[in-house]
Amino acid sequence: MNPDEKEPLPADGILEAVGDEVPVAEGPVCRACGTPLVDGQDWCLECGTAVTPPRRIPGLRAVGLAGALTLVLAGGAVAAAYAALNDEQPAPQTKVKTVAAAAPPTTTTTAPPVTDTTPVTPVTPAPVTPVTPVTPVTPVTPVTPVTPTTTTTPTTTTTTTTTTPKPVDTSIVLAAGAGSLYDPLVRATASGDPQRAIDGNPATSWFVTTPADGDMKVGYLIDLGEAMTVKKLSLLTKTPGFSFQVLAATGADPPQAFDDPAWTDIGGAGSVDATPVAGQPPAIAPATGDKAGDEALALKLDAKGKKYEQIMLWFTVPPTAGPTVRLTEVKLFG
């Protein structure tokens, strides 16, 4: 058989199987012609076919996503174009710069002297018209004065009554230690500090207690320090119902006995700050204006115009509650 002639194919067109002696290629081969390939080879050197396998055709999901993105981008572009067409551009601002123009220099022009050649015409004075004399005024006949009528106004006499103000009693200032207990009969069984009755403090008081056997016969003595006019006595007490006399003496020392003629009776009050017992008139009448229960007494004194230095309150009838007299405050007025 001629080597240039090809061996005819079998009747069914299928080549016979290759024998075991044909070598089998190891490693990657070209998918087109079967030529063995080396690692990292990108193209077949025999047929030129690319070694990289073909890419997958994108699916419907990828195609839909790309279409949606395209529509979104197209819509944004249309909106931007519409906004750009409808947006009015702001009017350009024109700045005006005012430049002060320099005034042109003032040119002084000297006018040429004017020569007046017109002859001067003399002015003729106008004649003066004489003034007509004024007619004298006829004097006015004086009017006869009217005699005024005299009217007599009755005189009204107003009587003014002058009210003389009542004299104000002056409080006599008592020195410290001016008060003391007067007890020539030694009747007092108990007694307090006499200064408390003249200290000006109504929260303090002086008291004296005697036996309950009749009249008290004890007194409270005030030394004025000098002879003075005494017009009134006032006192505060919390032991109503007692009676007392006001005795006065002129000496620097008080008389030694309560019944000494040196004492002068200048006043007194019975049932002090209390209502007298019915059917038993007190030995000494109550003072005028003495109101029961007000714990106060104002007594006018009759010194007959004399001045005294010693003033004593001589207690006779004891208070209603018992033989203790308590004086909260005693004051003398001149």
Side-chain angles (χ1 to χ4, degrees):
M1 182 177 177
N2 189 358
D4 296 332
E5 294 180 358
K6 295 181 179 182
E7 185 177 356
L9 296 173
D12 54 5
I14 301 175
L15 296 179
E16 294 181 357
V18 181
D20 295 335
E21 65 273 6
V22 179
V24 179
E26 295 179 359
V29 295
C30 178
R31 56 187 177 82
C33 62
T35 302
L37 303 174
V38 297
D39 292 337
Q41 186 175 347
D42 295 332
W43 304 90
C44 179
L45 300 179
E46 293 294 331
C47 63
T49 303
V51 177
T52 303
R55 297 180 180 177
R56 294 175 57 188
I57 299 175
L60 295 179
R61 181 179 300 177
V63 174
L65 180 60
L69 290 176
T70 303
L71 291 177
V72 171
L73 293 176
V78 171
Y82 180 77
L85 291 176
N86 288 288
D87 188 11
E88 295 182 0
Q89 295 295 329
Q93 297 181 357
T94 303
K95 296 183 179 180
V96 179
K97 183 176 182 181
T98 304
V99 179
T106 306
T107 304
T108 305
T109 304
T110 304
V114 178
T115 304
D116 189 3
T117 58
T118 307
V120 178
T121 304
V123 178
T124 304
V128 178
T129 304
V131 179
T132 304
V134 179
T135 303
V137 179
T138 303
V140 179
T141 304
V143 179
T144 303
V146 179
T147 304
T149 303
T150 304
T151 304
T152 303
T153 304
T155 303
T156 303
T157 303
T158 304
T159 303
T160 304
T161 303
T162 303
T163 303
T164 303
K166 295 181 180 180
V168 179
D169 297 329
T170 304
S171 177
I172 297 177
V173 179
L174 302 177
S180 61
L181 172 66
Y182 184 81
D183 187 17
L185 300 178
V186 193
R187 293 277 297 167
T189 58
S191 179
D193 182 3
Q195 183 64 23
R196 294 186 176 183
I198 57 175
D199 59 359
N201 183 5
T204 61
S205 63
W206 168 85
F207 75 93
V208 62
T209 303
T210 61
D213 56 358
D215 290 348
M216 297 185 70
K217 297 181 181 180
V218 70
Y220 182 81
L221 180 66
I222 300 175
D223 186 352
L224 301 181
E226 59 179 328
M228 296 184 183
T229 300
V230 182
K231 298 179 180 180
K232 188 175 73 172
L233 175 144
S234 68
L235 61 82
L236 301 178
T237 182
K238 292 183 179 297
T239 54
F242 65 91
S243 299
F244 70 99
Q245 290 176 278
V246 180
L247 306 178
T250 57
D253 295 322
Q256 296 300 313
F258 76 94
D259 56 356
D260 192 309
W263 288 111
T264 301
D265 188 352
I266 61 175
S271 301
V272 175
D273 197 40
T275 302
V277 179
Q280 298 180 7
I284 303 175
T288 303
D290 184 16
K291 183 179 179 181
D294 62 356
E295 300 182 358
L297 172 68
L299 177 64
K300 290 185 178 182
L301 303 177
D302 184 11
K304 298 179 177 60
K306 295 183 180 182
K307 295 182 180 181
Y308 297 97
E309 188 172 349
Q310 306 293 329
I311 304 295
M312 181 181 65
L313 280 66
W314 180 253
F315 304 107
T316 56
V317 180
T320 305
T324 298
V325 172
R326 183 177 296 274
L327 301 181
T328 303
E329 201 67 31
V330 178
K331 291 183 179 181
L332 294 174
F333 299 87

